Structure formats: structure tokens, C-alpha cells
Coordinates of all heavy atoms in Angstrom, one line a residue:
L1 N 143.4 109.8 170.6 CA 143.4 110.7 169.4 C 142.1 111.3 169.3 O 141.0 110.8 169.6 CB 143.7 109.9 168.1 CG 145.0 109.1 168.1 CD1 145.1 108.3 166.9 CD2 146.2 110.1 168.1
K2 N 142.1 112.6 168.9 CA 140.9 113.3 168.8 C 140.7 114.0 167.4 O 141.6 114.6 166.9 CB 140.8 114.5 169.9 CG 139.6 115.2 170.0 CD 139.6 116.2 171.2 CE 138.3 116.9 171.4 NZ 138.3 117.8 172.4
N3 N 139.5 113.8 166.8 CA 139.2 114.4 165.5 C 138.2 115.6 165.8 O 137.1 115.3 166.0 CB 138.6 113.3 164.6 CG 138.3 114.0 163.3 OD1 138.5 115.2 163.0 ND2 137.7 113.2 162.4
S4 N 138.7 116.8 165.7 CA 137.8 118.0 166.0 C 137.2 118.4 164.7 O 136.4 119.3 164.8 CB 138.5 119.1 166.7 OG 139.7 119.4 165.9
S5 N 137.5 117.8 163.6 CA 136.9 118.4 162.2 C 135.6 117.7 162.0 O 135.2 116.7 162.7 CB 137.9 118.0 161.1 OG 137.9 116.6 160.8
S6 N 134.9 118.1 160.9 CA 133.6 117.5 160.5 C 133.9 116.4 159.5 O 132.8 116.0 158.9 CB 132.7 118.6 160.0 OG 133.3 119.3 158.8
K7 N 135.0 116.0 159.3 CA 135.3 115.0 158.3 C 136.0 113.9 158.9 O 136.6 114.0 159.9 CB 136.2 115.5 157.1 CG 135.7 116.7 156.3 CD 134.8 116.2 155.3 CE 134.3 117.5 154.5 NZ 133.8 117.3 153.2
T8 N 135.9 112.6 158.3 CA 136.6 111.5 158.9 C 138.1 111.5 158.6 O 138.5 111.9 157.5 CB 136.1 110.2 158.2 OG1 134.6 110.1 158.5 CG2 136.7 108.9 158.7
L9 N 138.9 111.2 159.6 CA 140.4 111.1 159.4 C 140.7 109.7 159.4 O 140.3 108.9 160.2 CB 141.1 111.8 160.5 CG 140.8 113.3 160.6 CD1 141.5 113.9 161.8 CD2 141.5 113.9 159.3
R10 N 141.7 109.3 158.5 CA 142.2 107.9 158.4 C 143.8 108.0 158.3 O 144.4 108.9 157.7 CB 141.7 107.3 157.1 CG 142.2 105.8 157.1 CD 141.5 105.1 156.0 NE 140.0 104.9 156.3 CZ 139.1 105.1 155.4 NH1 139.3 105.3 154.2 NH2 137.8 104.9 155.8
Y11 N 144.4 107.2 159.2 CA 145.8 107.1 159.3 C 146.3 105.7 159.1 O 145.6 104.8 159.4 CB 146.3 107.6 160.7 CG 146.0 109.0 161.0 CD1 144.9 109.4 161.7 CD2 147.0 109.9 160.8 CE1 144.6 110.7 162.1 CE2 146.7 111.3 161.1 CZ 145.6 111.7 161.7 OH 145.4 112.9 162.1
K12 N 147.5 105.7 158.5 CA 148.2 104.4 158.4 C 149.2 104.4 159.4 O 150.0 105.3 159.5 CB 148.9 104.3 157.0 CG 149.7 103.0 156.8 CD 150.3 103.0 155.5 CE 151.1 101.6 155.4 NZ 151.8 101.5 154.1
A13 N 149.2 103.4 160.3 CA 150.2 103.3 161.4 C 151.3 102.4 161.1 O 151.2 101.4 160.5 CB 149.5 102.7 162.7
I14 N 152.5 103.0 161.4 CA 153.8 102.2 161.0 C 154.7 102.3 162.3 O 154.8 103.4 162.9 CB 154.5 102.9 159.9 CG1 153.6 103.0 158.6 CG2 155.9 102.3 159.6 CD1 154.3 103.8 157.4
L15 N 155.2 101.2 162.7 CA 156.2 101.0 163.8 C 157.6 101.0 163.2 O 157.9 100.2 162.4 CB 155.9 99.9 164.6 CG 154.5 100.0 165.5 CD1 154.1 98.6 165.9 CD2 154.7 100.9 166.7
V16 N 158.5 101.9 163.6 CA 159.9 101.9 163.1 C 160.8 102.0 164.3 O 160.4 102.4 165.4 CB 160.1 103.0 162.2 CG1 159.3 102.9 160.9 CG2 159.8 104.4 162.8
G17 N 162.0 101.6 164.1 CA 163.1 101.8 165.1 C 163.7 100.5 165.4 O 163.4 99.4 164.9
R18 N 164.7 100.6 166.4 CA 165.5 99.5 166.8 C 164.7 98.2 167.2 O 165.1 97.1 166.8 CB 166.5 99.9 167.9 CG 167.4 98.9 168.4 CD 168.2 99.4 169.6 NE 167.2 99.4 170.7 CZ 167.5 100.0 171.9 NH1 168.5 100.7 172.0 NH2 166.6 100.0 173.0
D19 N 163.7 98.4 168.0 CA 162.9 97.3 168.6 C 161.4 97.4 168.0 O 160.6 96.9 168.8 CB 162.9 97.4 170.1 CG 164.3 97.4 170.7 OD1 165.0 96.5 170.3 OD2 164.6 98.3 171.5
A20 N 161.3 97.8 166.9 CA 159.9 97.9 166.3 C 159.1 96.5 166.3 O 158.0 96.4 166.4 CB 159.9 98.6 165.0
D21 N 160.0 95.4 166.0 CA 159.3 94.1 165.9 C 158.7 93.7 167.2 O 157.9 92.7 167.3 CB 160.4 93.1 165.5 CG 160.8 93.4 164.1 OD1 160.1 93.9 163.3 OD2 161.9 92.8 163.7
D22 N 159.1 94.3 168.4 CA 158.5 93.9 169.7 C 157.2 94.5 170.0 O 156.6 94.1 171.0 CB 159.6 94.2 170.8 CG 160.9 93.4 170.7 OD1 160.8 92.3 170.0 OD2 161.9 93.9 171.2
F23 N 156.9 95.6 169.2 CA 155.6 96.3 169.4 C 154.7 95.9 168.3 O 155.1 95.6 167.2 CB 155.8 97.8 169.3 CG 156.7 98.3 170.5 CD1 158.0 98.4 170.4 CD2 156.1 98.8 171.7 CE1 158.8 98.8 171.5 CE2 156.9 99.2 172.7 CZ 158.3 99.2 172.6
S24 N 153.3 95.9 168.5 CA 152.4 95.6 167.6 C 151.1 96.3 167.8 O 150.8 96.9 169.0 CB 152.1 94.1 167.4 OG 151.5 93.7 168.7
L25 N 150.3 96.5 166.8 CA 149.0 97.1 166.9 C 147.9 96.0 166.7 O 147.7 95.6 165.6 CB 148.8 98.1 165.8 CG 149.9 99.3 165.9 CD1 149.9 100.2 164.7 CD2 149.5 100.2 167.2
P26 N 147.3 95.5 167.8 CA 146.3 94.4 167.7 C 145.2 94.6 166.7 O 144.6 93.6 166.2 CB 145.9 94.1 169.1 CG 146.3 95.4 169.8 CD 147.4 96.1 169.1
K27 N 144.8 95.8 166.5 CA 143.6 96.1 165.7 C 144.0 96.4 164.2 O 143.2 97.0 163.5 CB 142.7 97.2 166.2 CG 142.0 96.7 167.5 CD 141.0 97.7 168.0 CE 140.3 97.2 169.3 NZ 139.3 98.2 169.7
G28 N 145.3 96.2 163.9 CA 145.6 96.4 162.5 C 146.4 97.9 162.3 O 146.4 98.6 163.4
N29 N 146.8 98.1 161.1 CA 147.7 99.3 161.0 C 146.9 100.5 160.3 O 147.5 101.3 159.8 CB 149.0 99.0 160.3 CG 148.7 98.4 158.8 OD1 147.6 98.2 158.5 ND2 149.7 98.2 158.1
T30 N 145.5 100.4 160.3 CA 144.7 101.5 159.8 C 143.9 102.0 160.9 O 143.2 101.2 161.6 CB 143.8 101.0 158.6 OG1 144.6 100.5 157.5 CG2 143.0 102.2 158.1
V31 N 144.0 103.3 161.1 CA 143.2 103.9 162.2 C 142.2 104.9 161.6 O 142.7 105.8 160.8 CB 144.2 104.7 163.1 CG1 143.4 105.4 164.2 CG2 145.1 103.7 163.7
T32 N 141.0 104.8 161.9 CA 139.9 105.7 161.3 C 139.2 106.4 162.6 O 138.7 105.7 163.4 CB 138.9 104.9 160.6 OG1 139.6 104.3 159.5 CG2 137.8 105.8 159.9
I33 N 139.2 107.7 162.4 CA 138.6 108.5 163.5 C 137.3 109.2 162.9 O 137.5 110.0 162.0 CB 139.5 109.5 164.1 CG1 140.8 108.8 164.5 CG2 138.9 110.2 165.4 CD1 141.9 109.7 164.9
A34 N 136.2 108.9 163.4 CA 134.9 109.6 162.9 C 135.0 111.1 163.3 O 135.6 111.5 164.2 CB 133.7 108.9 163.5
P35 N 134.2 111.8 162.6 CA 134.1 113.3 162.8 C 133.6 113.6 164.2 O 132.8 112.9 164.8 CB 133.0 113.9 161.8 CG 133.0 112.8 160.8 CD 133.3 111.5 161.4
K36 N 134.3 114.5 164.8 CA 133.9 115.0 166.2 C 134.0 113.9 167.3 O 133.3 114.0 168.2 CB 132.5 115.6 166.2 CG 132.3 116.8 165.2 CD 133.2 118.0 165.6 CE 132.8 119.1 164.7 NZ 133.7 120.2 164.9
R37 N 134.9 113.0 167.0 CA 135.0 111.8 167.9 C 136.5 111.8 168.4 O 137.4 112.3 167.9 CB 134.7 110.5 167.3 CG 133.3 110.4 166.8 CD 132.3 110.1 168.0 NE 130.9 110.1 167.5 CZ 130.0 109.6 168.2 NH1 130.2 109.2 169.4 NH2 128.8 109.5 167.7
Q38 N 136.7 110.9 169.4 CA 138.0 110.6 169.9 C 138.1 109.1 170.2 O 137.1 108.4 170.3 CB 138.4 111.4 171.1 CG 137.5 111.2 172.4 CD 138.0 112.0 173.5 OE1 138.6 113.0 173.3 NE2 137.5 111.7 174.6
M39 N 139.3 108.5 170.2 CA 139.5 107.2 170.3 C 140.9 106.9 170.9 O 141.8 107.8 170.8 CB 139.4 106.4 169.0 CG 140.5 106.7 167.9 SD 140.3 105.7 166.5 CE 140.6 104.1 167.0
S40 N 141.1 105.7 171.4 CA 142.5 105.3 171.9 C 143.0 104.2 171.0 O 142.2 103.4 170.4 CB 142.3 104.8 173.3 OG 141.8 105.7 174.2
I41 N 144.3 104.2 170.9 CA 145.0 103.2 170.1 C 145.8 102.3 171.1 O 146.6 102.8 171.8 CB 145.9 103.8 169.0 CG1 145.2 104.6 168.1 CG2 146.8 102.7 168.4 CD1 146.1 105.3 167.1
N42 N 145.6 101.0 171.1 CA 146.3 100.1 171.9 C 147.5 99.6 171.2 O 147.5 99.2 170.0 CB 145.4 98.9 172.3 CG 144.4 99.2 173.3 OD1 144.6 100.1 174.1 ND2 143.3 98.6 173.2
V43 N 148.7 99.7 171.8 CA 150.0 99.2 171.3 C 150.4 98.0 172.3 O 150.5 98.3 173.4 CB 151.1 100.2 171.2 CG1 152.4 99.7 170.7 CG2 150.6 101.4 170.4
E44 N 150.6 96.9 171.7 CA 151.1 95.7 172.6 C 152.6 95.6 172.5 O 153.2 95.9 171.4 CB 150.5 94.5 172.1 CG 149.0 94.4 172.4 CD 148.3 93.1 172.1 OE1 149.0 92.2 171.5 OE2 147.1 92.8 172.4
F45 N 153.1 95.2 173.6 CA 154.6 95.0 173.6 C 154.9 93.5 174.1 O 154.3 93.0 175.0 CB 155.3 95.9 174.6 CG 156.6 95.7 174.9 CD1 157.7 95.9 173.9 CD2 157.1 95.2 176.1 CE1 159.0 95.6 174.1 CE2 158.5 95.0 176.4 CZ 159.4 95.1 175.3
T46 N 155.7 92.9 173.4 CA 156.1 91.5 173.7 C 157.7 91.5 174.2 O 158.5 91.8 173.3 CB 156.0 90.5 172.6 OG1 154.7 90.6 172.1 CG2 156.4 89.1 173.0
S47 N 157.9 91.4 175.4 CA 159.2 91.5 175.9 C 160.0 90.2 175.6 O 159.6 89.0 176.0 CB 159.2 91.6 177.5 OG 160.5 91.7 178.0
R48 N 161.2 90.3 175.0 CA 162.1 89.3 174.7 C 163.3 89.3 175.5 O 164.0 88.3 175.8 CB 162.5 89.2 173.2 CG 161.3 89.0 172.3 CD 161.7 89.0 170.8 NE 162.2 90.2 170.5 CZ 163.4 90.3 169.6 NH1 163.8 89.1 169.2 NH2 163.9 91.4 169.2
F49 N 163.6 90.5 176.1 CA 164.8 90.7 176.8 C 164.6 91.6 178.0 O 163.6 92.2 178.0 CB 165.9 91.4 176.0 CG 166.3 90.7 174.6 CD1 165.8 91.1 173.4 CD2 167.0 89.5 174.7 CE1 166.1 90.4 172.3 CE2 167.2 88.8 173.5 CZ 166.8 89.3 172.3
L50 N 165.4 91.7 178.9 CA 165.3 92.5 180.2 C 165.6 93.9 179.9 O 165.0 94.8 180.6 CB 166.1 92.0 181.3 CG 165.7 90.6 181.9 CD1 166.7 90.1 183.0 CD2 164.3 90.6 182.4
C51 N 166.3 94.2 178.9 CA 166.7 95.6 178.6 C 165.4 96.3 178.0 O 164.6 95.8 177.4 CB 167.9 95.7 177.7 SG 167.6 94.9 176.1
P52 N 165.4 97.6 178.2 CA 164.3 98.5 177.7 C 164.2 98.4 176.2 O 165.3 98.3 175.6 CB 164.4 99.8 178.2 CG 165.4 99.7 179.4 CD 166.2 98.5 179.1
A53 N 163.0 98.4 175.6 CA 163.0 98.5 174.1 C 162.3 99.8 173.7 O 161.6 100.5 174.5 CB 162.0 97.4 173.7
E54 N 162.8 100.3 172.5 CA 162.4 101.6 172.0 C 161.9 101.5 170.5 O 162.4 100.7 169.8 CB 163.5 102.6 172.1 CG 163.8 102.9 173.5 CD 165.0 103.9 173.5 OE1 165.3 104.5 172.5 OE2 165.4 104.2 174.6
A55 N 160.8 102.2 170.2 CA 160.4 102.2 168.8 C 159.6 103.6 168.7 O 159.4 104.3 169.7 CB 159.5 101.1 168.5
V56 N 159.2 103.9 167.5 CA 158.5 105.1 167.1 C 157.2 104.6 166.4 O 157.3 103.8 165.5 CB 159.3 106.1 166.2 CG1 158.4 107.2 165.8 CG2 160.5 106.6 167.0
L57 N 156.0 105.1 166.8 CA 154.8 105.0 166.1 C 154.5 106.2 165.3 O 154.4 107.2 165.8 CB 153.7 104.7 167.2 CG 152.3 104.7 166.6 CD1 152.1 103.5 165.6 CD2 151.3 104.6 167.8
L58 N 154.4 106.0 164.0 CA 154.1 107.0 163.0 C 152.7 106.8 162.6 O 152.2 105.7 162.2 CB 155.0 107.0 161.8 CG 156.5 107.3 162.0 CD1 157.2 107.0 160.7 CD2 156.6 108.8 162.4
L59 N 151.9 107.9 162.6 CA 150.4 107.8 162.1 C 150.4 108.9 160.9 O 150.6 110.0 161.1 CB 149.5 108.2 163.1 CG 149.3 107.3 164.3 CD1 148.3 107.9 165.3 CD2 148.9 106.0 163.9
I60 N 150.5 108.2 159.7 CA 150.5 109.0 158.5 C 149.2 109.2 157.9 O 148.5 108.2 157.6 CB 151.5 108.4 157.5 CG1 152.9 108.2 158.2 CG2 151.6 109.2 156.1 CD1 153.8 107.4 157.3
S61 N 148.7 110.4 157.7 CA 147.4 110.6 157.2 C 147.2 110.1 155.7 O 148.0 110.2 154.9 CB 147.1 112.2 157.2 OG 145.9 112.5 156.6
K62 N 146.0 109.5 155.6 CA 145.5 109.1 154.3 C 144.2 109.9 153.9 O 143.4 110.0 154.7 CB 145.1 107.6 154.3 CG 146.3 106.7 154.6 CD 145.9 105.3 154.9 CE 145.4 104.5 153.7 NZ 145.0 103.2 153.8
S63 N 144.2 110.5 152.7 CA 143.2 111.4 152.3 C 141.8 110.6 152.3 O 141.6 109.6 151.7 CB 143.5 112.0 150.9 OG 142.5 112.8 150.6
V64 N 140.8 111.3 152.9 CA 139.4 110.7 152.9 C 138.6 111.9 152.6 O 138.5 112.9 153.3 CB 139.0 110.2 154.3 CG1 137.6 109.8 154.3 CG2 139.9 109.1 154.7
G65 N 137.9 111.9 151.4 CA 137.1 113.0 151.0 C 137.8 114.3 150.8 O 137.2 115.4 151.1
G66 N 139.1 114.3 150.5 CA 139.8 115.5 150.3 C 140.4 116.2 151.5 O 140.9 117.2 151.4
I67 N 140.2 115.5 152.6 CA 140.8 116.1 153.9 C 142.0 115.3 154.3 O 141.9 114.1 154.3 CB 139.8 116.3 155.0 CG1 140.4 117.0 156.1 CG2 139.3 114.9 155.5 CD1 139.4 117.5 157.1
D68 N 143.1 115.8 154.7 CA 144.3 115.3 155.2 C 144.5 115.7 156.6 O 144.4 116.9 157.0 CB 145.6 115.5 154.4 CG 145.5 114.9 153.0 OD1 145.1 113.7 152.9 OD2 145.9 115.5 152.1
G69 N 144.9 114.8 157.4 CA 145.3 115.2 158.8 C 146.9 115.4 158.8 O 147.5 115.1 157.9
V70 N 147.4 115.8 159.9 CA 148.8 115.9 160.0 C 149.5 114.6 160.5 O 148.8 113.7 161.1 CB 149.2 117.1 161.1 CG1 148.8 118.3 160.7 CG2 148.7 116.6 162.5
T71 N 150.7 114.4 160.1 CA 151.4 113.2 160.6 C 151.7 113.3 162.0 O 152.2 114.2 162.5 CB 152.8 113.0 159.8 OG1 152.4 112.9 158.4 CG2 153.5 111.8 160.2
L72 N 151.3 112.2 162.8 CA 151.6 112.2 164.3 C 152.8 111.2 164.5 O 152.8 110.2 164.0 CB 150.3 111.7 165.0 CG 149.1 112.6 164.7 CD1 147.9 111.9 165.2 CD2 149.3 114.0 165.2
T73 N 153.6 111.5 165.5 CA 154.7 110.7 165.9 C 154.6 110.5 167.5 O 154.5 111.5 168.2 CB 156.0 111.4 165.6 OG1 156.0 111.7 164.2 CG2 157.2 110.5 165.8
F74 N 154.8 109.2 167.8 CA 154.8 108.9 169.3 C 156.0 108.1 169.6 O 156.3 107.1 168.8 CB 153.5 108.1 169.7 CG 152.3 108.8 169.4 CD1 151.6 108.7 168.3 CD2 151.8 109.7 170.5 CE1 150.4 109.4 168.0 CE2 150.6 110.4 170.2 CZ 149.9 110.3 169.0
S75 N 156.7 108.4 170.6 CA 157.9 107.7 171.1 C 157.4 106.5 172.0 O 156.8 106.8 173.0 CB 158.9 108.5 171.8 OG 160.0 107.8 172.3
L76 N 157.9 105.3 171.8 CA 157.4 104.2 172.6 C 158.7 103.7 173.4 O 159.7 103.4 172.7 CB 156.8 103.0 171.7 CG 155.7 103.4 170.8 CD1 155.3 102.2 170.0 CD2 154.5 103.9 171.6
K77 N 158.5 103.5 174.6 CA 159.6 103.0 175.4 C 159.0 101.9 176.4 O 158.0 102.2 177.1 CB 160.3 104.0 176.2 CG 161.0 105.0 175.3 CD 161.8 106.1 176.0 CE 162.5 107.0 175.0 NZ 163.3 108.0 175.8
S78 N 159.7 100.7 176.5 CA 159.1 99.7 177.4 C 159.9 99.7 178.8 O 161.0 100.3 178.8 CB 159.3 98.4 176.7 OG 160.6 98.0 176.8
E79 N 159.3 99.2 179.7 CA 159.9 99.1 181.0 C 159.5 97.8 181.6 O 158.2 97.6 181.9 CB 159.6 100.2 182.0 CG 160.4 100.1 183.3 CD 160.0 101.3 184.1 OE1 159.6 102.4 183.6 OE2 160.3 101.3 185.3
V80 N 160.3 96.8 181.9 CA 160.0 95.5 182.5 C 160.1 95.6 184.0 O 161.1 95.8 184.5 CB 160.9 94.4 181.9 CG1 160.5 93.0 182.6 CG2 160.8 94.3 180.4
K81 N 158.9 95.5 184.7 CA 158.9 95.7 186.1 C 158.8 94.3 186.9 O 159.0 94.2 188.0 CB 157.7 96.6 186.5 CG 157.9 98.0 186.1 CD 156.8 98.8 186.5 CE 157.1 100.3 186.1 NZ 156.1 101.2 186.5
H82 N 158.2 93.4 186.2 CA 157.9 92.0 186.8 C 158.1 90.9 185.8 O 157.6 91.1 184.7 CB 156.6 92.0 187.5 CG 156.2 90.8 188.2 ND1 156.7 90.5 189.4 CD2 155.3 89.9 187.8 CE1 156.2 89.3 189.7 NE2 155.3 88.9 188.9
I83 N 158.6 89.9 186.2 CA 158.8 88.7 185.4 C 158.2 87.5 186.0 O 158.5 87.1 187.2 CB 160.3 88.4 185.0 CG1 160.9 89.6 184.4 CG2 160.5 87.2 184.1 CD1 162.4 89.6 184.2
D84 N 157.3 86.7 185.3 CA 156.8 85.5 185.8 C 157.5 84.4 184.9 O 157.5 84.5 183.7 CB 155.3 85.3 185.6 CG 154.5 86.2 186.6 OD1 155.1 86.4 187.7 OD2 153.5 86.8 186.3
P85 N 157.9 83.2 185.5 CA 158.5 82.2 184.7 C 157.5 81.6 183.8 O 156.3 81.3 184.2 CB 159.0 81.2 185.8 CG 158.3 81.5 187.0 CD 157.9 82.9 187.0
A86 N 157.8 81.2 182.6 CA 157.0 80.6 181.7 C 156.7 79.1 182.1 O 155.7 78.5 181.7 CB 157.6 80.7 180.3
G87 N 157.6 78.5 182.8 CA 157.5 77.2 183.2 C 158.8 76.7 183.8 O 159.9 77.4 183.8
I88 N 158.8 75.6 184.5 CA 160.0 75.0 185.1 C 160.1 73.6 184.4 O 159.2 72.8 184.4 CB 159.9 74.8 186.6 CG1 159.7 76.3 187.3 CG2 161.0 74.1 187.2 CD1 159.4 76.2 188.7
L89 N 161.4 73.3 184.1 CA 161.7 72.0 183.4 C 162.8 71.4 184.2 O 163.8 72.0 184.5 CB 162.3 72.3 182.0 CG 162.8 71.0 181.2 CD1 161.6 70.2 180.9 CD2 163.4 71.5 180.0
K90 N 162.5 70.1 184.7 CA 163.4 69.4 185.5 C 164.0 68.3 184.6 O 163.2 67.6 183.8 CB 162.8 68.7 186.7 CG 162.3 69.7 187.7 CD 161.8 69.0 189.0 CE 161.4 70.0 190.0 NZ 161.0 69.3 191.2
C91 N 165.3 68.1 184.6 CA 165.9 67.0 183.8 C 167.1 66.5 184.6 O 167.6 67.1 185.5 CB 166.4 67.5 182.5 SG 167.6 68.8 182.5
K92 N 167.4 65.2 184.3 CA 168.5 64.5 185.0 C 169.4 64.0 183.9 O 169.0 63.4 182.9 CB 167.9 63.3 185.8 CG 168.7 62.9 186.9 CD 167.9 61.9 187.7 CE 168.6 61.6 189.0 NZ 167.9 60.6 189.9
S93 N 170.7 64.2 184.2 CA 171.7 63.8 183.1 C 173.0 63.6 183.9 O 173.3 64.3 184.8 CB 171.9 64.9 182.1 OG 172.8 64.6 181.3
P94 N 173.8 62.7 183.4 CA 175.1 62.5 184.1 C 176.0 63.6 183.7 O 176.0 64.2 182.6 CB 175.6 61.1 183.4 CG 174.8 60.9 182.2 CD 173.6 61.6 182.4
C95 N 176.9 64.0 184.7 CA 177.8 65.1 184.4 C 178.9 64.7 183.5 O 179.6 65.5 182.8 CB 178.3 65.8 185.7 SG 177.0 66.5 186.6
Y96 N 179.4 63.4 183.6 CA 180.6 63.0 182.9 C 180.4 61.5 182.6 O 180.0 60.7 183.4 CB 181.9 63.2 183.7 CG 183.1 62.7 183.2 CD1 183.7 63.5 182.1 CD2 183.6 61.7 183.5 CE1 184.9 63.0 181.4 CE2 184.8 61.1 183.0 CZ 185.4 61.9 181.9 OH 186.6 61.4 181.3
E97 N 180.7 61.1 181.3 CA 180.8 59.7 181.0 C 182.1 59.5 180.3 O 182.6 60.3 179.5 CB 179.7 59.3 180.1 CG 178.4 59.2 180.8 CD 177.3 58.7 179.9 OE1 177.6 57.8 179.0 OE2 176.2 59.2 180.0
L98 N 182.7 58.3 180.4 CA 183.9 57.9 179.7 C 183.5 57.5 178.3 O 182.6 57.1 178.0 CB 184.7 56.7 180.3 CG 185.3 57.1 181.7 CD1 185.8 55.9 182.3 CD2 186.4 58.1 181.5

């Protein structure tokens, strides 16, 4: 994100959509961009299923010193390319008992 103005911009970040619970913003849901600066926002994804997940990231402007930015919208889509097992559990049990 880039702030080309001479005023600070502040946004409230909201994740919405079918799989929004699988996405998160590790640094919280408030984004502040200093004047004439740029920054990156990290979005984390926690995979629960093999199918792709989708959500929308909304950045809604909050007024700071009388200046408002535009609302920004980003489409988030996951893709699982590799899976490591969390662990292996061995157990022994009879298949049938009277």
C-alpha cells in the first residue's frame, strides 16, 4: 500500500466471505500508513481442507486529521501445493470381539 498524500492514512481491515475464518491479519485489523510512505500487509492463511479457500479483504478508511482515503478491496484465494503430515499415530486394536 502506498500513501502519496502529506497526511497519515488509517484503515480498518475486515475479512469477509465464505472462508474468512481461515485468513487472519497477524498485526491486527488497523493499518496506518505514514505520509509519503508505503507498506506491505501480511495476510496469514491456515489450511483446514484441501479445497481452495476464498475471502475478501476490505480496507475501510478511518478519518485522521480530516482526511479520508478510498475503500480498498482485495480478493484472497488460497492454493495448497504441499502437505506435510502433522504426525503419525500407531495403535493396535482387535478387529472383532464376541
